[in-house]
Amino acid sequence: MKDTNRLTYGRTSVYNLNYHLIWGTKYRNKVLKGHVEAVFREQVREIANKYGFTVA
């Protein structure tokens, strides 16, 4: 099933732009813990809502 709502149509092209962000630390140590993680997730969601993109 194709999600045609996510397609952007240009004059000579059709595209669907996605970003995949990975935040890795040395030795995969947990940096965001407890309250800091909750605040960070909330801020990311607010930015996503402001600019109209989704966070999975």
Side-chain angles (χ1 to χ4, degrees), residues 28-48:
R28 298 193 184 268
N29 291 328
K30 289 264 187 182
V31 176
L32 302 176
K33 297 179 182 177
H35 179 68
V36 175
E37 180 181 9
V39 170
F40 178 74
R41 286 182 184 267
E42 184 59 34
Q43 288 180 344
V44 168
R45 286 188 186 113
E46 288 176 7
I47 293 169

